[in-house]
């Protein structure tokens, strides 16, 4: 009788103790409670700032292509390799071993070292005097940044419960748009004060070009942020699976709970439809985003006669306001749907964003005026940002703890190789090979998006249909 009463009390306890406000602490299903809200959101904001700096450092080269090209005597092809291959290839390669390490050791420390390494490498770009030296420095930037997102995704999943993880991921991914906008806006302001082609005498360092000084200046904030990250506590790992434990009497404290490569592939195979659909869907979304983003300035110039300064101001602020608000609103939407028991609530928010992107990405290049085109670009940035929180939260919730960083690096590998490498090239190929007319760039963008945007939504829906029952419940 007493045991029956006790069981009944345990069954009803969660309904009485689960709080309603979004930011209040909730019970941890693995035992204990989640970290305090202030601690969790401090970590999320610092990680967002790190992601912001990563994108500023990553995109700074785009603003300085012409003066660097003239200074080093490089060709357009060489500059494209400096911008893309040197960064992306080594970024995704280093992410694999670092993700393996992040699933087995202190993720906070990995993030601290990553920020410091890429900041030092960015400053090193300002010390180079040859193409080979700059290429090597860019490789080091990608090497450092490759350690951030896999560890950040995993650490956030241990700071926030499932019904708030989408919001936290949305906040983190605001860094994409804050960094992209910052590279356009702040980079232009710095270049105005220190012309990239000018020569300035610096004590100890000697005579330097303006673009050297810009890279040196960009390395300072990251070094300071790496110190601030030391105040973030490594959270207790949650969401482990019993089958990963060592046999009784053979526990190894240093490796307890670590997932082997065979177990990782077993997890991916068991939920292959879900992983494939979500990762491919987001890779195609990034394909569209990078394919359009790389060519929007040229499109606005060729189609509407806008000047570079007009494009930098209007497009930069559009990315800032629309992208960041979209990432935040999408995170709130996923958390709100998940908390209220909506089936696949986190991923449903991303489905809404993917659906809205289809007419926006196809339509904005066809607008008769620059104002309407920019309005479409703003909507595209809003709904692209809207998608990240729910999609990444679903991947993390689906994955056992000791595999999360490794699954994250598979995701990063896909979106970088498919999106960052192939997206901009596909638009250029249509313009050059199909139309052979630079003035028809807008139509090329529209055609590429008409193919890729619906495929992205189809892949995401395919992934949603493969989610297991435990993920379908709120």
């Amino acid at each position: 009788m007493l045991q029956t009463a006790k069981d009944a009390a345990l069954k009803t306890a969660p309904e009485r103790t689960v709080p309603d406000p979004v930011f209040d602490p909730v019970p941890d299903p693995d035992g204990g409670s989640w970290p305090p809200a202030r601690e969790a959101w401090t970590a999320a904001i610092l990680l967002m700032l790190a992601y912001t700096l990563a994108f500023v450092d990553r995109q700074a080269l785009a603003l300085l292509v012409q003066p660097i090209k003239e200074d080093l005597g490089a060709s357009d092809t060489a500059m494209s390799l400096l911008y893309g291959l040197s960064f992306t290839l080594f970024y995704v390669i280093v992410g694999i071993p670092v993700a393996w390490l992040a699933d087995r050791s202190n993720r906070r420390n990995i993030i601290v070292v990553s920020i410091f390494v890429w900041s030092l490498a960015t400053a090193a770009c300002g010390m180079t005097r040859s193409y080979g030296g700059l290429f090597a420095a860019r490789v080091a930037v990608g090497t450092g940044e490759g350690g951030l997102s896999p560890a950040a995704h995993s650490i956030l999943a241990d700071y926030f419960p499932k019904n708030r993880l989408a919001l936290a991921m949305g906040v983190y991914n605001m860094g994409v748009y804050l960094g992209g906008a910052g590279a356009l806006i702040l980079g232009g302001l710095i270049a105005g004060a220190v012309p990239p082609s000018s020569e300035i005498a610096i004590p100890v360092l000697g005579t330097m070009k303006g673009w050297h000084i810009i890279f040196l200046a960009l390395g300072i904030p990251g070094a300071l942020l790496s110190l601030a990250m030391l105040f973030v506590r490594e959270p207790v790992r949650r969401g482990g699976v019993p089958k990963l434990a060592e046999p009784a009497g053979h526990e190894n404290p240093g490796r307890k709970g670590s997932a082997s490569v065979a177990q990782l592939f077993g997890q991916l195979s068991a939920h292959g439809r879900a992983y494939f659909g979500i990762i491919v869907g987001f890779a195609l979304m990034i394909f569209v985003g990078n394919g359009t983003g790389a060519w929007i300035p040229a499109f606005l110039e060729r189609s509407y006669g806008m000047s570079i300064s007009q494009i930098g101001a209007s497009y930069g602020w559009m990315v800032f306001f629309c992208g960041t608000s979209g990432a935040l609103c999408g995170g709130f939407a996923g958390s709100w749907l998940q908390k209220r028991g909506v089936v696949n609530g986190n991923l449903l928010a991303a489905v809404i964003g993917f659906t809205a992107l289809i007419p926006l990405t196809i339509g904005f290049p066809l607008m008769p005026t620059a104002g309407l085109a920019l309005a479409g670009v703003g909507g595209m940035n809003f709904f692209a940002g809207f998608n990240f929180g729910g999609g990444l939260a679903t991947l993390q919730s689906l994955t056992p703890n000791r595999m999360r960083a490794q699954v994250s690096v598979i995701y990063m590998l896909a979106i970088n190789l498919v999106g960052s490498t192939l997206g901009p090239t596909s638009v250029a190929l249509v313009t050059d090979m199909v139309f052979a007319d630079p003035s028809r760039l807008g139509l090329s963008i529209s055609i590429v998006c008409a193919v890729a945007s619906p495929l992205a939504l189809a892949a995401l829906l395919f992934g949603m249909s493969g989610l297991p029952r435990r993920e379908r419940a709120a």
Side-chain angles (χ1 to χ4, degrees):
M1 178 69 75
L2 289 175
Q3 184 63 33
T4 302
K6 181 179 179 181
D7 291 343
L10 289 174
K11 290 178 181 179
T12 57
E15 297 181 3
R16 297 195 307 267
T17 59
V18 173
D20 183 65
V22 173
F23 297 101
D24 287 348
V26 297
D28 176 5
D30 293 335
S33 61
W34 291 87
R38 178 183 297 179
E39 182 180 339
W41 286 109
T42 297
I45 291 171
L46 285 173
L47 289 170
M48 180 267 288
L49 291 175
Y51 209 22
T52 298
L53 286 179
F55 264 80
V56 170
D57 292 350
R58 188 182 308 183
Q59 298 298 327
L61 183 67
L63 291 172
L64 304 171
V65 164
Q66 194 59 34
I68 294 175
K69 176 184 174 182
E70 295 172 358
D71 225 22
L72 302 181
S75 66
D76 283 346
T77 300
M79 291 304 296
S80 69
L81 294 175
L82 189 65
Y83 181 80
L85 181 64
S86 68
F87 184 90
T88 302
L89 182 60
F90 290 91
Y91 170 81
V92 296
I93 288 176
V94 78
I96 296 172
V98 171
W100 182 90
L101 185 63
D103 279 333
R104 290 159 172 77
S105 62
N106 189 297
R107 296 159 291 182
R108 190 278 310 273
N109 292 345
I110 290 174
I111 292 170
V112 169
V113 172
S114 295
I115 296 172
F116 187 79
V117 167
W118 92 59
S119 300
L120 191 64
T122 300
C125 291
M127 301 296 293
T128 59
R129 297 295 186 273
S130 67
Y131 178 84
L134 187 55
F135 191 97
R138 287 288 292 177
V139 169
V141 173
T143 299
E145 292 190 18
L148 174 63
S149 283
H153 292 173
S154 176
I155 209 170
L156 286 173
D158 287 330
Y159 263 118
F160 295 89
K162 185 170 65 174
N163 62 349
R164 285 158 211 168
L165 183 56
L167 177 57
M169 290 292 186
V171 169
Y172 173 70
N173 278 280
M174 286 171 61
V176 174
Y177 301 98
L178 290 172
L184 289 167
I185 299 168
L186 297 178
L189 293 174
I190 296 174
V194 184
S197 297
S198 64
E199 292 189 353
I200 302 173
I202 304 294
V204 180
L205 299 178
T207 301
M208 308 185 76
K209 291 284 189 176
W211 64 267
H212 289 134
I213 296 173
I214 292 173
F215 277 122
L216 284 170
L218 288 175
I220 296 173
L224 297 175
L225 183 61
S226 68
L227 297 176
M229 282 299 303
L230 292 173
F231 292 98
V232 173
R233 181 178 62 87
E234 170 75 3
V236 174
R237 291 184 182 267
R238 307 165 197 274
V241 288
K243 66 181 180 180
L244 296 180
E246 298 288 345
H250 295 81
E251 290 84 358
N252 182 343
R255 290 184 51 84
K256 187 175 181 180
S258 297
S260 66
V261 173
Q263 288 171 319
L264 173 63
F265 280 103
Q267 170 73 13
L268 295 175
S269 176
H271 307 295
R273 180 183 296 183
Y275 283 117
F276 177 84
I278 295 171
I279 291 174
V280 171
F282 273 85
L284 287 170
M285 188 197 79
I286 300 298
F287 175 93
V288 170
N290 282 8
T292 57
W295 293 106
I296 283 175
F299 159 69
L300 293 173
E301 181 180 6
R302 296 177 193 178
S303 298
Y304 308 109
M306 295 179 67
S307 67
I308 297 299
S309 59
Q310 289 173 324
I311 293 170
S314 58
Y315 182 38
W317 287 109
M318 192 73 70
V319 172
F320 177 83
F321 286 112
C322 296
T324 55
S325 62
L328 193 58
C329 289
F332 268 113
S335 292
W336 185 85
L337 291 169
Q338 191 73 27
K339 184 170 181 60
R340 278 151 185 78
V342 176
V343 175
N344 299 327
N346 280 334
L347 200 58
L348 181 59
V351 169
I352 294 170
F354 272 61
T355 303
L357 282 174
I358 294 176
L360 287 168
T361 55
I362 297 172
F364 88 82
L366 307 177
M367 292 296 102
T369 66
L372 289 174
L374 283 169
V377 169
M380 181 183 69
N381 275 273
F382 178 88
F383 282 106
F386 192 91
N387 299 325
F388 283 114
L392 293 175
T394 301
L395 279 180
Q396 293 298 301
S397 298
L398 178 64
T399 307
N401 188 293
R402 295 289 179 168
M403 302 177 184
R404 284 174 177 165
Q406 293 170 87
V407 168
S408 289
V409 85
I410 292 171
Y411 164 84
M412 298 301 297
L413 178 68
I415 68 171
N416 277 279
L417 290 180
V418 175
S420 301
T421 305
L422 300 180
T425 304
S426 65
V427 174
L429 287 175
V430 174
T431 303
D432 292 340
M433 305 300 292
V434 177
F435 297 119
D437 182 359
S439 67
R440 304 190 73 179
L441 174 60
L443 188 56
S444 299
I445 294 173
S446 185
I447 289 172
V448 170
C449 293
V451 175
S453 292
L455 285 177
L457 176 61
L460 195 66
L461 292 173
F462 178 77
M464 179 180 282
S465 70
L467 287 174
R469 290 183 179 272
R470 64 183 177 87
E471 283 301 313
R472 295 188 178 211

